[in-house]
Amino acid sequence: MVAALESILDVQSDNGGGEVEWGDVRDDLSSGQWGRLIEKGVLVDGETGFRLADQGDVEAVVEEHNGSTVSTTTTEDADEDEDEEAGGWRTIDKLAALGAVGMILGYSIQPVKNAVGGTVDLVFGPLQSALPFYLVIMLAAIVTGALSTIAQSQMMDTDKMTQGQEKAQELKERRKKAKERGDDEELQRIQEEQMEMMSDQMGMMAENFRPTVWIMLVTIPIFLWIYWQIGRFDPVPEMIMPIYGRVDWNSSAALWFPAWVFWYILNSIAFSNLVRKAIGFRMSPN
């Protein structure tokens, strides 16, 4: 935020110590930074724009930071910054996405299905020999559900989501007040901030999709192995499912899904929710 404060000080200095408007600093500040400064009371309402609540304190903070900070940026740091600007996607994330897409081809290309299924069978094959098949599917669902939840908890920035929600609420309240007093200039500023916020939200959506790639990289091979394994059964195993009674794994159980898909999804959702509660992770902002 120091760079944001410096920009505001520069604009205020150019204005002869006057007020600052969003249009004056939009090239240097994100809408999130601008809203945060207002929310925290660093910027307060003036007659036509905003002003620093305590310019002396802000100048002291900026001077202290600039006096104690030494730039040590390396090429790797710059690359990481560029990745963060690109929505948090790094090269390894993009490679994981390509791997996941490649394994999806296994559902329609037999050699890919055989290769992925045979590899995963090295892990799940012994379990399938020792346990009923419905328990093997349950264990696979537990593994993928737990890993999915952990990946989401590590990669999703719920704090940023909360800040975005707070900013949206703050803009809504400012818009309501501006309409009540007929302040067209304020309404225009709010509209500009909302447009900036939409851009930030698109970036956040891209960043929050990143754990999905890693979840797919684990889930697709296991899912493909179950599909591959059922194709090798003769006859196809049966089980007694609640409500549906006796079904074989390829029978339609619900919404035209085969029984094994329905059983897998049911267990995955149930155990994912248990893991979320255990680690205190929320998918939505608080």
Side-chain angles (χ1 to χ4, degrees):
M1 297 294 288
V2 172
L5 293 173
E6 283 183 306
S7 298
I8 291 172
L9 286 172
D10 289 342
V11 170
Q12 206 168 43
S13 176
D14 293 340
N15 292 343
E19 296 176 357
V20 181
E21 297 184 5
W22 164 241
D24 299 329
V25 295
R26 60 181 302 174
D27 293 335
D28 300 321
L29 276 70
S30 69
S31 60
Q33 289 174 318
W34 177 257
R36 202 69 175 168
L37 291 172
I38 295 172
E39 177 191 356
K40 294 300 181 182
V42 179
L43 286 173
V44 295
D45 286 326
E47 293 181 3
T48 59
F50 292 88
R51 59 179 178 80
L52 292 169
D54 193 324
Q55 184 169 340
D57 279 352
V58 172
E59 291 175 345
V61 168
V62 171
E63 289 175 4
E64 180 182 356
H65 180 273
N66 290 341
S68 61
T69 302
V70 178
S71 177
T72 57
T73 303
T74 64
T75 303
E76 292 180 359
D77 294 332
D79 291 341
E80 288 181 2
D81 289 341
E82 289 178 3
D83 287 334
E84 290 299 326
E85 289 295 326
W89 282 67
R90 296 176 173 81
T91 302
I92 192 170
D93 298 320
K94 297 171 184 176
L95 292 175
L98 287 175
V101 170
M103 284 186 288
I104 288 176
L105 298 176
Y107 291 102
S108 56
I109 300 177
Q110 191 65 36
V112 176
K113 180 168 70 173
N114 291 337
V116 176
T119 302
V120 179
D121 193 57
L122 298 174
V123 177
F124 282 91
L127 290 175
Q128 192 271 322
S129 301
L131 298 172
F133 197 59
Y134 73 91
L135 285 180
V136 177
I137 295 178
M138 181 184 291
L139 289 173
I142 292 172
V143 169
T144 55
L147 291 176
S148 298
T149 302
I150 292 170
Q152 288 169 338
S153 67
Q154 294 298 313
M155 296 184 185
M156 289 181 67
D157 191 346
T158 53
D159 289 339
K160 187 182 290 186
M161 293 167 64
T162 301
Q163 291 176 9
Q165 191 180 57
E166 291 173 352
K167 174 64 175 175
Q169 182 63 31
E170 183 249 334
L171 287 176
K172 182 178 178 181
E173 292 174 357
R174 283 174 53 197
R175 186 180 185 87
K176 181 180 178 181
K177 292 178 181 178
K179 278 187 175 181
E180 289 175 351
R181 63 176 183 265
D183 190 341
D184 293 336
E185 291 184 1
E186 175 68 2
L187 288 172
Q188 179 65 28
R189 284 195 295 268
I190 292 171
Q191 186 175 2
E192 291 174 354
E193 290 183 52
Q194 287 175 329
M195 294 298 292
E196 290 285 337
M197 189 175 176
M198 287 178 62
S199 176
D200 293 341
Q201 287 174 335
M202 292 297 293
M204 191 184 304
M205 288 176 61
E207 184 176 348
N208 288 339
F209 186 72
R210 190 164 61 100
T212 304
V213 168
W214 291 98
I215 292 168
M216 291 171 61
L217 197 64
V218 175
T219 302
I220 290 174
I222 294 177
F223 209 72
L224 193 57
W225 173 80
I226 299 173
Y227 181 46
W228 173 80
Q229 187 66 39
I230 288 175
R232 301 172 67 205
F233 284 131
D234 188 19
V236 177
E238 295 181 336
M239 74 169 289
I240 298 176
M241 294 184 67
I243 302 175
Y244 297 99
R246 183 177 295 277
V247 296
D248 68 51
W249 290 114
N250 280 327
S251 298
S252 295
L255 299 176
W256 304 283
F257 286 131
W260 68 270
V261 176
F262 178 70
W263 180 246
Y264 175 90
I265 292 174
L266 187 67
N267 284 279
S268 181
I269 292 174
F271 285 102
S272 294
N273 286 329
L274 286 175
V275 174
R276 286 193 186 102
K277 289 184 179 293
I279 65 176
F281 174 67
R282 294 173 58 92
M283 285 288 291
S284 58
N286 189 346

